[in-house]
Amino acid sequence: MKKLLFLVIALAGLMFASCENVIFDDEGDCSVNYRIRFKYDMNMKFADAFSNCVCSVHLYAFDKNGVLVYHKKEAGEALKNEDYAMDVELIPGKYTLVAWCGLTGGDSFSLSNTISVGSTTLEELKCEMKKEYDQNGNVYSDNELNDLYHGMLEVNLPDEPGTHTRTISLVKNTNIVRVVLQHLSSVDIYPEDFVYEITDDNTFMAHDNTILDNEEIDYYPWSVTSGKAGIYADLNMTKAASTVNVAVAEFTINRLVVENNPVLSIYNAKDNSKVLAIPLKDYALLVKGNYNKAMGDQEYLDRQDEYNLTFFLDEHGLWSSSRIIINSWHIVLQNPDLQ
């Protein structure tokens, strides 16, 4: 009995000692490890595209008092692995995790404050888009913005032995807007004959990705080119009559949110007369129901990251506002407020 009791005590001591170590090779490993995975399925395909789309990750961990206690970044080929997860060195407890993805590898976005572990607060973690100022002090951007993603997660990391994995879902902020101008008749359109702009106030983002009031910005296209298109006898698109030049303008803009009212405007370059001006967000939402009627407006704006809009001009060079093509959907406008 004494020998058996001694053996039990010895085994208990060995088990306790093994759990005090940091790294083990045996099955009796009692270490605690944390891994953070990232998922980007907030898109119209509802499929995880993280490994194909995201090129860098900046992760920030804030304690229960909202103070930054940990920061880690990774970029490059490691993120292309479908099993990628970031190993983080944190003690058990409650944290708010914030991820900004896309800060490395481009200069379109940056954090607006100096980040310091032990002092930076959650409310101070703000992200800002790079802007330019013209000679009159007006804010503008005519750049092709690099992709920016955001994610946030409240976690309670346990102290049980083993590897604990948590997943942060990402939202893509940046959007591509392509505008095509085409005549109803067989008249060529040249891109240099027009000035294109999108006006919004969406360059400053809080830690939770909400848009903060900052200053109005004019987005200008980073690409303006000519293209070829078939001209049809009528807008039912039944029979092509000829092929003519069309104007194509391509923008990259920051996050569209339901609270804002961005406006797409096009002007005649010769006399600055207005060809058209539309509420971009409202037009983007016109085709939401064709994808998913149950989807909320903000969810649709977050999932959709590419908008292709085709406008038809009449014989006077003005927008024929009865019809428009949005992402291949032919829209017949019946709401006068949208014209």
Side-chain angles (χ1 to χ4, degrees):
M1 289 295 293
K2 289 183 179 180
K3 290 183 179 180
L4 180 61
L5 180 61
F6 176 80
L7 180 60
V8 170
I9 294 174
L11 289 174
L14 287 173
M15 291 177 63
F16 177 78
S18 68
C19 291
E20 290 296 310
N21 291 322
V22 178
I23 301 175
F24 302 90
D25 295 322
D26 299 326
E27 294 182 359
D29 185 358
C30 295
S31 62
V32 182
N33 304 291
Y34 304 116
R35 308 187 78 207
I36 305 300
R37 293 183 59 85
F38 302 90
K39 178 174 64 174
Y40 170 50
D41 62 356
M42 181 61 75
N43 52 59
M44 294 308 299
K45 294 185 180 296
F46 294 81
D48 186 7
F50 175 85
S51 60
N52 293 322
C53 297
V54 181
C55 61
S56 70
V57 172
H58 284 243
L59 180 68
Y60 305 87
F62 296 83
D63 65 15
K64 61 182 181 180
N65 297 315
V67 177
L68 182 67
V69 294
Y70 185 78
H71 168 223
K72 187 174 182 178
K73 60 182 179 180
E74 290 184 342
E77 290 301 317
L79 276 63
K80 303 302 180 183
N81 190 327
E82 292 185 358
D83 297 324
Y84 168 77
M86 178 182 285
D87 295 311
V88 297
E89 296 75 40
L90 290 168
I91 63 173
K94 294 182 178 180
Y95 297 94
T96 299
L97 303 180
V98 179
W100 285 107
C101 304
L103 298 180
T104 300
D107 61 354
S108 301
F109 299 91
S110 62
L111 299 183
S112 60
N113 298 305
T114 301
I115 302 301
S116 179
V117 172
S119 60
T120 297
T121 64
L122 187 60
E123 289 72 22
E124 292 174 330
L125 187 70
K126 301 172 184 177
C127 186
E128 190 167 13
M129 195 188 93
K130 179 182 178 182
K131 298 168 289 187
E132 307 288 345
Y133 294 84
D134 64 19
Q135 58 185 2
N136 297 318
N138 298 314
V139 183
Y140 73 93
S141 171
D142 58 2
N143 298 312
E144 181 182 8
L145 305 177
N146 58 269
D147 293 342
L148 180 72
Y149 302 82
H150 171 271
M152 183 171 170
L153 182 67
E154 303 282 345
V155 296
N156 188 0
L157 300 180
D159 59 358
E160 290 88 355
T163 298
H164 305 275
T165 302
R166 300 292 183 267
T167 301
I168 297 179
S169 296
L170 301 177
V171 170
K172 185 181 180 184
N173 278 18
T174 42
N175 299 275
I176 296 172
V177 178
R178 294 188 187 91
V179 176
V180 178
L181 294 183
Q182 179 176 337
H183 257 297
L184 289 172
S185 61
S186 57
V187 177
D188 286 343
I189 289 182
Y190 300 98
E192 61 270 18
D193 292 340
F194 301 92
V195 176
Y196 318 79
E197 69 177 24
I198 296 173
T199 303
D200 203 348
D201 180 359
N202 64 342
T203 62
F204 202 38
M205 294 148 286
H207 67 277
D208 59 357
N209 207 26
T210 55
I211 300 297
L212 301 172
D213 291 337
N214 188 21
E215 51 191 350
E216 191 173 85
I217 183 172
D218 291 326
Y219 292 96
Y220 296 115
W222 58 267
S223 174
V224 180
T225 59
S226 293
K228 296 286 186 180
I231 292 298
Y232 298 85
D234 56 50
L235 284 178
N236 291 323
M237 304 300 175
T238 56
K239 185 178 180 180
S242 61
T243 300
V244 298
N245 287 323
V246 300
V248 182
E250 188 163 354
F251 303 77
T252 312
I253 64 174
N254 197 32
R255 190 184 185 201
L256 292 173
V257 293
V258 294
E259 296 84 3
N260 285 10
N261 296 294
V263 176
L264 166 64
S265 302
I266 300 177
Y267 301 89
N268 189 301
K270 293 181 179 179
D271 58 13
N272 203 39
S273 60
K274 185 177 292 184
V275 176
L276 66 87
I278 65 164
L280 179 60
K281 176 197 66 181
D282 296 336
Y283 271 69
L285 292 171
L286 279 176
V287 296
K288 183 197 73 171
N290 292 308
Y291 289 99
N292 191 334
K293 294 181 179 179
M295 190 183 298
D297 287 351
Q298 188 58 59
E299 181 182 348
Y300 176 80
L301 294 174
D302 285 337
R303 285 189 180 278
Q304 183 67 265
D305 68 341
E306 188 171 323
Y307 302 93
N308 299 297
L309 301 96
T310 301
F311 300 95
F312 297 91
L313 304 185
D314 61 21
E315 66 274 15
H316 304 294
L318 299 177
W319 174 36
S320 178
S321 58
S322 61
R323 293 177 185 244
I324 182 177
I325 300 176
I326 304 175
N327 287 1
S328 77
W329 293 98
H330 294 252
I331 308 299
V332 179
L333 296 176
Q334 298 176 337
N335 183 355
D337 294 334
L338 293 179
Q339 299 186 33

